[in-house]
Amino acid sequence: PVTAGGIMAQQEAEHIKDLTWINAPGRPVRVRKGRGKFEKKWTSDVPRILRDLAPNTGFNPQQVWRREQEREEAERRAEEETAAAAAADGQKKKKKSGGGGRGAGAGAARRADIIAQQERKREEDDFNKDVQKIQNIKQRDGIARLIALKDIKTDRAKLLRLLEILDNAVEREDKTLAYDVLWAIESDPL
């Protein structure tokens, strides 16, 4: 017969088991003791693991804020320039010349449309390849390799990668990783 207290103790034991290592990570190392004499000694990998977990750079919100202000300033300037150019075009109202050559008429517009269409198709193909790469790595190697993945070509696929990492962090209830990914998504210019 299992009592309520016994169930609670079992749940606590499982919780503690989740928070501790059963076997400490490490490896046996041969240490030279003298001439021709060696001793096996256990070396812990915990310091290396903790070093590898440290972030490469510290997060500075002031830098993100400065970049955001510069981007907004550039957008405002671009809007002012386009408004000034539109006003100048309205005032000039040039007289159209008669007839058009090969480069001035529909041929140039059609050429520009074809180039734009090919560019869109190339971007869509790159995006599809990146999505396939993300899905394969997620299924085969797990989230650690997905985090380390660097060779993604398109901005949309980079955002998708961040969303996959965020989804995994939420599933594992890893708040630190989730907040880091949210910061990365927020600072992403896309």
Coordinates of all heavy atoms in Angstrom, one line a residue, residues 14-88:
E14 N 12.4 11.8 -7.5 CA 12.5 11.9 -9.0 C 12.9 13.3 -9.3 O 13.7 13.5 -10.2 CB 11.2 11.6 -9.7 CG 10.9 10.1 -9.6 CD 9.5 9.8 -10.2 OE1 8.9 10.7 -10.8 OE2 9.1 8.6 -10.1
H15 N 12.4 14.3 -8.6 CA 12.8 15.7 -8.9 C 14.2 15.9 -8.6 O 14.9 16.6 -9.4 CB 11.9 16.6 -8.1 CG 12.2 18.1 -8.3 ND1 12.0 18.7 -9.5 CD2 12.8 19.0 -7.4 CE1 12.3 20.0 -9.4 NE2 12.8 20.2 -8.1
I16 N 14.7 15.4 -7.5 CA 16.1 15.6 -7.2 C 17.0 14.8 -8.2 O 18.0 15.3 -8.6 CB 16.4 15.1 -5.7 CG1 15.7 16.0 -4.7 CG2 17.9 15.0 -5.4 CD1 15.7 15.5 -3.3
K17 N 16.5 13.7 -8.6 CA 17.3 12.9 -9.6 C 17.4 13.7 -10.9 O 18.5 13.6 -11.5 CB 16.6 11.6 -9.9 CG 17.3 10.7 -10.8 CD 16.5 9.4 -11.0 CE 17.1 8.5 -12.0 NZ 16.3 7.3 -12.2
D18 N 16.4 14.5 -11.3 CA 16.5 15.3 -12.5 C 17.5 16.4 -12.3 O 18.1 16.9 -13.3 CB 15.1 15.9 -12.8 CG 14.2 14.8 -13.3 OD1 14.6 13.7 -13.7 OD2 13.0 15.1 -13.3
L19 N 17.7 16.9 -11.1 CA 18.6 18.0 -10.9 C 20.0 17.7 -10.7 O 20.9 18.5 -10.6 CB 18.1 18.9 -9.7 CG 16.7 19.5 -9.9 CD1 16.3 20.2 -8.6 CD2 16.7 20.4 -11.1
T20 N 20.4 16.4 -10.5 CA 21.7 16.0 -10.2 C 22.2 15.0 -11.3 O 21.4 14.3 -11.9 CB 21.8 15.3 -8.8 OG1 21.0 14.2 -8.8 CG2 21.5 16.3 -7.7
W21 N 23.5 14.9 -11.4 CA 24.1 14.0 -12.3 C 24.2 12.6 -11.6 O 24.7 12.5 -10.5 CB 25.5 14.4 -12.8 CG 25.5 15.4 -13.8 CD1 24.7 15.5 -14.9 CD2 26.4 16.5 -13.9 NE1 25.0 16.6 -15.7 CE2 26.1 17.2 -15.1 CE3 27.5 17.0 -13.2 CZ2 26.7 18.3 -15.5 CZ3 28.1 18.1 -13.6 CH2 27.8 18.8 -14.8
I22 N 23.8 11.6 -12.3 CA 24.0 10.2 -11.8 C 25.5 9.9 -11.9 O 26.1 9.4 -10.9 CB 23.2 9.2 -12.6 CG1 21.7 9.6 -12.5 CG2 23.4 7.8 -12.0 CD1 21.1 9.7 -11.2
N23 N 26.1 10.1 -13.0 CA 27.5 9.9 -13.2 C 28.1 11.2 -13.6 O 27.7 11.8 -14.6 CB 27.8 8.8 -14.3 CG 27.2 7.5 -14.0 OD1 27.3 7.1 -12.8 ND2 26.7 6.8 -15.0
A24 N 29.1 11.6 -12.9 CA 29.7 12.9 -13.2 C 30.5 12.8 -14.5 O 31.2 11.8 -14.7 CB 30.7 13.3 -12.1
P25 N 30.3 13.8 -15.4 CA 31.1 13.7 -16.6 C 32.6 13.8 -16.4 O 33.0 14.7 -15.7 CB 30.5 14.8 -17.5 CG 29.9 15.8 -16.5 CD 29.5 15.0 -15.3
G26 N 33.3 13.0 -17.1 CA 34.7 13.0 -16.9 C 35.4 11.9 -17.7 O 34.7 11.1 -18.4
R27 N 36.6 11.7 -17.5 CA 37.4 10.7 -18.2 C 38.6 10.3 -17.4 O 39.2 11.1 -16.7 CB 37.7 11.1 -19.6 CG 38.7 12.3 -19.6 CD 38.9 12.7 -21.1 NE 39.9 13.8 -21.1 CZ 39.6 15.1 -21.0 NH1 38.3 15.5 -20.9 NH2 40.5 16.0 -21.0
P28 N 39.0 9.0 -17.5 CA 40.2 8.6 -16.8 C 41.4 9.1 -17.6 O 41.5 9.1 -18.8 CB 40.1 7.1 -16.8 CG 39.2 6.7 -18.0 CD 38.3 7.9 -18.1
V29 N 42.4 9.6 -16.8 CA 43.6 10.1 -17.4 C 44.8 9.4 -16.8 O 44.8 9.2 -15.6 CB 43.7 11.6 -17.2 CG1 45.1 12.2 -17.7 CG2 42.6 12.3 -17.8
R30 N 45.8 9.1 -17.6 CA 47.0 8.4 -17.0 C 48.0 9.5 -16.6 O 48.4 10.4 -17.4 CB 47.7 7.6 -18.1 CG 46.9 6.3 -18.3 CD 47.6 5.4 -19.4 NE 49.0 5.5 -19.4 CZ 49.8 4.7 -20.1 NH1 49.2 3.7 -20.8 NH2 51.1 4.8 -20.1
V31 N 48.4 9.5 -15.3 CA 49.3 10.5 -14.8 C 50.6 9.8 -14.5 O 50.6 8.7 -13.8 CB 48.7 11.1 -13.5 CG1 49.7 12.1 -12.9 CG2 47.4 11.7 -13.7
R32 N 51.7 10.4 -14.9 CA 53.0 9.8 -14.7 C 53.4 10.0 -13.3 O 53.5 11.1 -12.8 CB 54.0 10.4 -15.7 CG 55.3 9.7 -15.7 CD 56.2 10.4 -16.7 NE 57.4 9.5 -16.8 CZ 58.0 9.2 -17.9 NH1 57.5 9.7 -19.0 NH2 59.1 8.5 -17.9
K33 N 53.8 8.9 -12.6 CA 54.2 9.0 -11.2 C 55.7 8.9 -11.1 O 56.3 9.3 -10.1 CB 53.6 7.8 -10.4 CG 52.1 8.1 -10.1 CD 52.0 9.3 -9.3 CE 50.9 9.3 -8.3 NZ 50.8 10.5 -7.6
G34 N 56.4 8.4 -12.0 CA 57.8 8.2 -11.9 C 58.3 7.5 -13.2 O 57.5 7.4 -14.2
R35 N 59.4 7.0 -13.2 CA 60.0 6.4 -14.3 C 59.3 5.1 -14.6 O 59.4 4.1 -13.9 CB 61.5 6.1 -14.1 CG 62.2 5.6 -15.2 CD 63.6 5.5 -14.9 NE 64.4 5.2 -16.1 CZ 65.5 5.6 -16.4 NH1 66.2 6.3 -15.5 NH2 66.1 5.3 -17.5
G36 N 58.5 5.2 -15.7 CA 57.8 4.0 -16.2 C 56.5 3.7 -15.3 O 55.9 2.6 -15.5
K37 N 56.2 4.5 -14.4 CA 55.0 4.2 -13.5 C 53.9 5.2 -13.8 O 54.2 6.4 -13.9 CB 55.4 4.4 -12.0 CG 56.5 3.3 -11.6 CD 56.8 3.5 -10.2 CE 57.9 2.5 -9.8 NZ 58.2 2.6 -8.4
F38 N 52.8 4.7 -14.0 CA 51.6 5.6 -14.3 C 50.5 5.2 -13.3 O 50.4 4.1 -12.8 CB 51.1 5.3 -15.7 CG 52.1 5.8 -16.8 CD1 53.0 4.9 -17.4 CD2 52.1 7.1 -17.2 CE1 53.9 5.3 -18.3 CE2 53.0 7.5 -18.1 CZ 53.9 6.7 -18.7
E39 N 49.6 6.2 -13.1 CA 48.5 6.0 -12.2 C 47.3 6.5 -13.0 O 47.3 7.6 -13.6 CB 48.7 6.8 -10.9 CG 47.5 6.7 -10.0 CD 47.8 7.4 -8.7 OE1 48.5 6.9 -7.8 OE2 47.3 8.6 -8.6
K40 N 46.2 5.8 -12.9 CA 44.9 6.3 -13.5 C 44.2 7.2 -12.5 O 44.1 6.9 -11.4 CB 44.0 5.2 -13.9 CG 44.4 4.5 -15.1 CD 43.3 3.5 -15.6 CE 43.6 2.9 -16.9 NZ 42.6 2.0 -17.4
K41 N 43.8 8.4 -13.0 CA 43.2 9.4 -12.2 C 42.0 9.9 -13.0 O 42.0 10.1 -14.2 CB 44.2 10.5 -11.9 CG 43.7 11.5 -10.9 CD 44.8 12.5 -10.6 CE 44.4 13.5 -9.6 NZ 45.4 14.5 -9.3
W42 N 40.9 10.1 -12.2 CA 39.6 10.6 -12.9 C 39.7 12.1 -12.9 O 39.9 12.8 -11.9 CB 38.4 10.1 -12.0 CG 37.1 10.5 -12.6 CD1 36.3 11.5 -12.4 CD2 36.5 9.8 -13.7 NE1 35.2 11.5 -13.2 CE2 35.3 10.5 -14.0 CE3 36.8 8.6 -14.4 CZ2 34.4 10.0 -15.0 CZ3 35.9 8.2 -15.4 CH2 34.7 8.9 -15.7
T43 N 39.5 12.6 -14.2 CA 39.5 14.1 -14.4 C 38.0 14.5 -14.8 O 37.5 13.9 -15.7 CB 40.4 14.5 -15.5 OG1 41.7 14.0 -15.1 CG2 40.5 16.0 -15.7
S44 N 37.5 15.5 -14.1 CA 36.2 15.9 -14.3 C 36.1 16.8 -15.5 O 37.0 17.6 -15.8 CB 35.6 16.7 -13.1 OG 34.4 17.2 -13.3
D45 N 35.0 16.7 -16.3 CA 34.8 17.5 -17.4 C 33.9 18.7 -17.1 O 33.5 19.5 -18.0 CB 34.1 16.7 -18.6 CG 35.1 15.9 -19.3 OD1 36.4 16.1 -19.2 OD2 34.7 14.9 -20.0
V46 N 33.4 18.8 -15.9 CA 32.5 19.9 -15.5 C 33.1 21.3 -15.8 O 32.4 22.2 -16.3 CB 32.1 19.8 -14.0 CG1 31.2 20.9 -13.6 CG2 31.3 18.5 -13.8
P47 N 34.4 21.6 -15.4 CA 34.9 22.9 -15.8 C 34.8 23.2 -17.3 O 34.5 24.4 -17.6 CB 36.3 22.9 -15.3 CG 36.4 21.8 -14.2 CD 35.3 20.8 -14.7
R48 N 35.1 22.3 -18.1 CA 35.1 22.5 -19.5 C 33.6 22.7 -20.0 O 33.4 23.6 -20.8 CB 35.7 21.3 -20.3 CG 35.7 21.4 -21.8 CD 36.2 20.2 -22.5 NE 35.5 19.0 -22.1 CZ 34.3 18.7 -22.6 NH1 33.7 19.4 -23.5 NH2 33.7 17.5 -22.2
I49 N 32.7 21.9 -19.4 CA 31.3 22.1 -19.8 C 30.8 23.5 -19.4 O 30.2 24.2 -20.2 CB 30.4 21.0 -19.1 CG1 30.8 19.7 -19.7 CG2 29.0 21.3 -19.2 CD1 30.1 18.5 -19.0
L50 N 31.2 23.9 -18.2 CA 30.7 25.3 -17.8 C 31.4 26.4 -18.6 O 30.8 27.4 -18.9 CB 31.1 25.5 -16.3 CG 30.3 24.6 -15.3 CD1 30.8 24.8 -13.9 CD2 28.8 24.9 -15.4
R51 N 32.6 26.2 -19.0 CA 33.3 27.1 -19.9 C 32.6 27.2 -21.2 O 32.4 28.3 -21.7 CB 34.8 26.8 -20.1 CG 35.5 27.8 -20.9 CD 36.8 27.2 -21.5 NE 36.4 26.2 -22.5 CZ 37.1 25.1 -22.8 NH1 38.3 24.9 -22.2 NH2 36.7 24.3 -23.7
D52 N 32.2 26.1 -21.8 CA 31.6 26.1 -23.1 C 30.2 26.6 -23.0 O 29.6 27.1 -24.0 CB 31.5 24.6 -23.6 CG 32.9 24.1 -24.0 OD1 33.8 25.0 -24.1 OD2 33.0 22.9 -24.2
L53 N 29.5 26.6 -21.8 CA 28.2 27.2 -21.7 C 28.2 28.7 -21.6 O 27.1 29.3 -21.8 CB 27.5 26.6 -20.5 CG 27.0 25.1 -20.6 CD1 26.5 24.7 -19.2 CD2 26.0 25.0 -21.7
A54 N 29.3 29.3 -21.3 CA 29.4 30.7 -21.2 C 29.1 31.4 -22.5 O 29.5 30.9 -23.5 CB 30.8 31.1 -20.7
P55 N 28.4 32.5 -22.5 CA 28.1 33.2 -23.7 C 29.4 33.8 -24.3 O 30.3 34.1 -23.6 CB 27.1 34.3 -23.3 CG 27.4 34.5 -21.9 CD 27.8 33.2 -21.3
N56 N 29.4 33.9 -25.7 CA 30.6 34.4 -26.4 C 30.7 35.9 -26.1 O 31.8 36.4 -25.9 CB 30.4 34.2 -27.9 CG 30.5 32.7 -28.2 OD1 30.9 31.9 -27.4 ND2 30.1 32.4 -29.4
T57 N 29.6 36.6 -26.1 CA 29.6 38.0 -25.8 C 28.5 38.4 -24.8 O 27.5 37.7 -24.8 CB 29.4 38.8 -27.1 OG1 28.1 38.5 -27.6 CG2 30.4 38.6 -28.2
G58 N 28.7 39.4 -24.1 CA 27.7 39.8 -23.2 C 26.7 40.6 -23.9 O 27.0 41.3 -24.9
F59 N 25.4 40.6 -23.5 CA 24.4 41.3 -24.2 C 24.3 42.7 -23.6 O 24.3 42.9 -22.4 CB 23.0 40.6 -23.9 CG 21.9 41.4 -24.5 CD1 21.7 41.5 -25.9 CD2 21.0 42.1 -23.7 CE1 20.6 42.3 -26.4 CE2 20.0 42.9 -24.2 CZ 19.8 42.9 -25.5
N60 N 24.4 43.7 -24.5 CA 24.3 45.1 -24.1 C 23.1 45.8 -24.8 O 23.1 46.0 -26.0 CB 25.6 45.9 -24.5 CG 25.6 47.3 -24.0 OD1 24.7 47.8 -23.3 ND2 26.7 47.9 -24.2
P61 N 22.0 46.0 -24.0 CA 20.8 46.6 -24.6 C 21.0 48.0 -25.2 O 20.3 48.4 -26.1 CB 19.8 46.6 -23.5 CG 20.5 46.4 -22.2 CD 21.9 45.8 -22.6
Q62 N 22.1 48.7 -24.7 CA 22.3 50.1 -25.3 C 22.7 50.0 -26.7 O 22.3 50.8 -27.5 CB 23.4 50.7 -24.5 CG 23.0 51.1 -23.1 CD 24.2 51.7 -22.3 OE1 25.3 51.7 -22.7 NE2 23.8 52.4 -21.2
Q63 N 23.5 48.9 -27.1 CA 23.9 48.8 -28.5 C 22.7 48.5 -29.4 O 22.5 49.1 -30.5 CB 24.9 47.7 -28.6 CG 26.2 47.9 -28.0 CD 27.2 46.7 -28.1 OE1 26.7 45.6 -28.4 NE2 28.4 47.0 -27.9
V64 N 21.8 47.7 -28.9 CA 20.6 47.4 -29.7 C 19.7 48.6 -29.8 O 19.2 48.9 -30.9 CB 19.8 46.2 -29.0 CG1 18.4 46.0 -29.7 CG2 20.6 45.0 -28.9
W65 N 19.6 49.4 -28.7 CA 18.8 50.6 -28.8 C 19.4 51.6 -29.7 O 18.7 52.3 -30.5 CB 18.7 51.2 -27.4 CG 17.9 52.5 -27.3 CD1 18.4 53.7 -27.0 CD2 16.5 52.6 -27.6 NE1 17.4 54.6 -27.0 CE2 16.2 54.0 -27.4 CE3 15.5 51.8 -27.9 CZ2 15.0 54.5 -27.6 CZ3 14.2 52.3 -28.1 CH2 14.0 53.6 -27.9
R66 N 20.7 51.8 -29.7 CA 21.4 52.7 -30.7 C 21.1 52.3 -32.1 O 20.8 53.1 -33.0 CB 22.9 52.7 -30.4 CG 23.3 54.0 -29.6 CD 24.8 54.1 -29.5 NE 25.1 53.9 -28.1 CZ 25.9 52.9 -27.7 NH1 26.4 52.0 -28.5 NH2 26.1 52.7 -26.4
R67 N 21.3 51.0 -32.4 CA 21.0 50.5 -33.8 C 19.6 50.7 -34.2 O 19.3 51.1 -35.3 CB 21.4 49.0 -33.9 CG 22.9 48.7 -34.1 CD 23.1 47.3 -34.2 NE 23.1 46.7 -32.9 CZ 23.1 45.5 -32.6 NH1 23.2 44.6 -33.5 NH2 23.1 45.0 -31.4
E68 N 18.7 50.5 -33.2 CA 17.3 50.7 -33.5 C 17.0 52.2 -33.8 O 16.3 52.6 -34.8 CB 16.4 50.3 -32.3 CG 14.9 50.4 -32.5 CD 14.4 49.4 -33.6 OE1 15.0 48.4 -33.8 OE2 13.3 49.7 -34.1
Q69 N 17.6 53.1 -33.1 CA 17.4 54.5 -33.3 C 18.0 54.9 -34.7 O 17.4 55.7 -35.4 CB 18.1 55.4 -32.2 CG 17.3 55.3 -30.9 CD 18.0 56.1 -29.8 OE1 19.2 56.2 -29.8 NE2 17.2 56.7 -28.9
E70 N 19.2 54.4 -35.0 CA 19.8 54.7 -36.3 C 18.9 54.2 -37.5 O 18.8 54.9 -38.5 CB 21.2 54.1 -36.4 CG 22.2 54.7 -35.5 CD 23.5 53.9 -35.4 OE1 23.6 52.8 -36.0 OE2 24.4 54.4 -34.7
R71 N 18.4 53.0 -37.3 CA 17.5 52.5 -38.3 C 16.3 53.3 -38.5 O 15.9 53.6 -39.7 CB 17.1 51.0 -38.0 CG 16.3 50.3 -39.1 CD 16.0 48.9 -38.7 NE 15.1 48.8 -37.5 CZ 13.8 49.0 -37.6 NH1 13.2 49.3 -38.7 NH2 13.1 48.9 -36.4
E72 N 15.6 53.8 -37.4 CA 14.5 54.6 -37.5 C 14.8 56.0 -38.1 O 14.0 56.5 -38.9 CB 13.9 54.8 -36.1 CG 13.2 53.6 -35.6 CD 12.7 53.8 -34.2 OE1 12.9 54.8 -33.6 OE2 12.1 52.8 -33.6
E73 N 16.0 56.5 -37.8 CA 16.4 57.8 -38.4 C 16.6 57.6 -39.9 O 16.2 58.5 -40.7 CB 17.7 58.2 -37.7 CG 18.3 59.5 -38.2 CD 17.4 60.7 -37.9 OE1 16.6 60.6 -36.9 OE2 17.5 61.7 -38.6
A74 N 17.2 56.5 -40.3 CA 17.4 56.2 -41.8 C 16.1 56.1 -42.5 O 15.9 56.6 -43.6 CB 18.3 55.0 -42.0
E75 N 15.2 55.4 -41.9 CA 13.8 55.3 -42.5 C 13.2 56.6 -42.6 O 12.5 56.9 -43.6 CB 12.9 54.3 -41.6 CG 13.3 52.9 -41.8 CD 12.5 52.0 -40.8 OE1 11.6 52.6 -40.1 OE2 12.7 50.8 -40.8
R76 N 13.3 57.5 -41.6 CA 12.6 58.8 -41.6 C 13.3 59.6 -42.8 O 12.6 60.3 -43.5 CB 12.8 59.5 -40.3 CG 12.0 60.8 -40.2 CD 12.3 61.5 -38.9 NE 13.7 61.8 -38.6 CZ 14.4 62.8 -39.2 NH1 13.9 63.6 -40.0 NH2 15.7 62.9 -38.9
R77 N 14.6 59.6 -42.9 CA 15.3 60.3 -43.9 C 14.9 59.8 -45.3 O 14.6 60.6 -46.2 CB 16.8 60.2 -43.8 CG 17.4 61.1 -42.8 CD 18.9 61.1 -42.9 NE 19.5 61.3 -41.6 CZ 20.4 60.6 -41.0 NH1 20.9 59.6 -41.6 NH2 20.9 60.9 -39.8
A78 N 14.7 58.5 -45.5 CA 14.3 58.0 -46.8 C 12.9 58.4 -47.1 O 12.6 58.8 -48.3 CB 14.4 56.4 -46.7
E79 N 12.0 58.4 -46.1 CA 10.7 58.9 -46.4 C 10.7 60.4 -46.8 O 9.9 60.8 -47.7 CB 9.8 58.7 -45.2 CG 9.4 57.3 -44.9 CD 8.7 57.1 -43.6 OE1 8.4 58.1 -42.9 OE2 8.4 55.9 -43.2
E80 N 11.5 61.2 -46.1 CA 11.5 62.6 -46.5 C 12.1 62.8 -47.9 O 11.6 63.6 -48.7 CB 12.4 63.4 -45.5 CG 11.8 63.5 -44.1 CD 12.8 64.2 -43.1 OE1 13.9 64.4 -43.5 OE2 12.3 64.4 -42.0
E81 N 13.1 62.0 -48.3 CA 13.7 62.1 -49.6 C 12.7 61.7 -50.7 O 12.6 62.4 -51.7 CB 15.0 61.3 -49.7 CG 16.1 61.8 -48.9 CD 17.3 60.9 -48.9 OE1 17.3 59.8 -49.6 OE2 18.3 61.2 -48.2
T82 N 11.9 60.6 -50.4 CA 11.0 60.2 -51.4 C 9.8 61.2 -51.6 O 9.4 61.5 -52.7 CB 10.4 58.8 -51.1 OG1 9.8 58.9 -49.8 CG2 11.4 57.7 -51.2
A83 N 9.4 61.8 -50.4 CA 8.4 62.9 -50.5 C 8.9 64.1 -51.3 O 8.2 64.7 -52.1 CB 8.0 63.3 -49.1
A84 N 10.2 64.5 -51.0 CA 10.7 65.6 -51.8 C 10.9 65.3 -53.2 O 10.6 66.2 -54.1 CB 12.1 66.0 -51.2
A85 N 11.3 64.1 -53.6 CA 11.4 63.7 -55.0 C 10.1 63.7 -55.7 O 9.9 64.1 -56.8 CB 12.1 62.3 -55.1
A86 N 9.0 63.2 -55.0 CA 7.7 63.2 -55.6 C 7.2 64.6 -55.8 O 6.6 64.9 -56.8 CB 6.7 62.4 -54.6
A87 N 7.5 65.5 -54.9 CA 7.0 66.9 -55.0 C 7.8 67.5 -56.2 O 7.2 68.3 -57.0 CB 7.3 67.6 -53.7
A88 N 9.1 67.2 -56.3 CA 9.8 67.8 -57.4 C 9.4 67.2 -58.8 O 9.3 68.0 -59.8 CB 11.3 67.5 -57.3

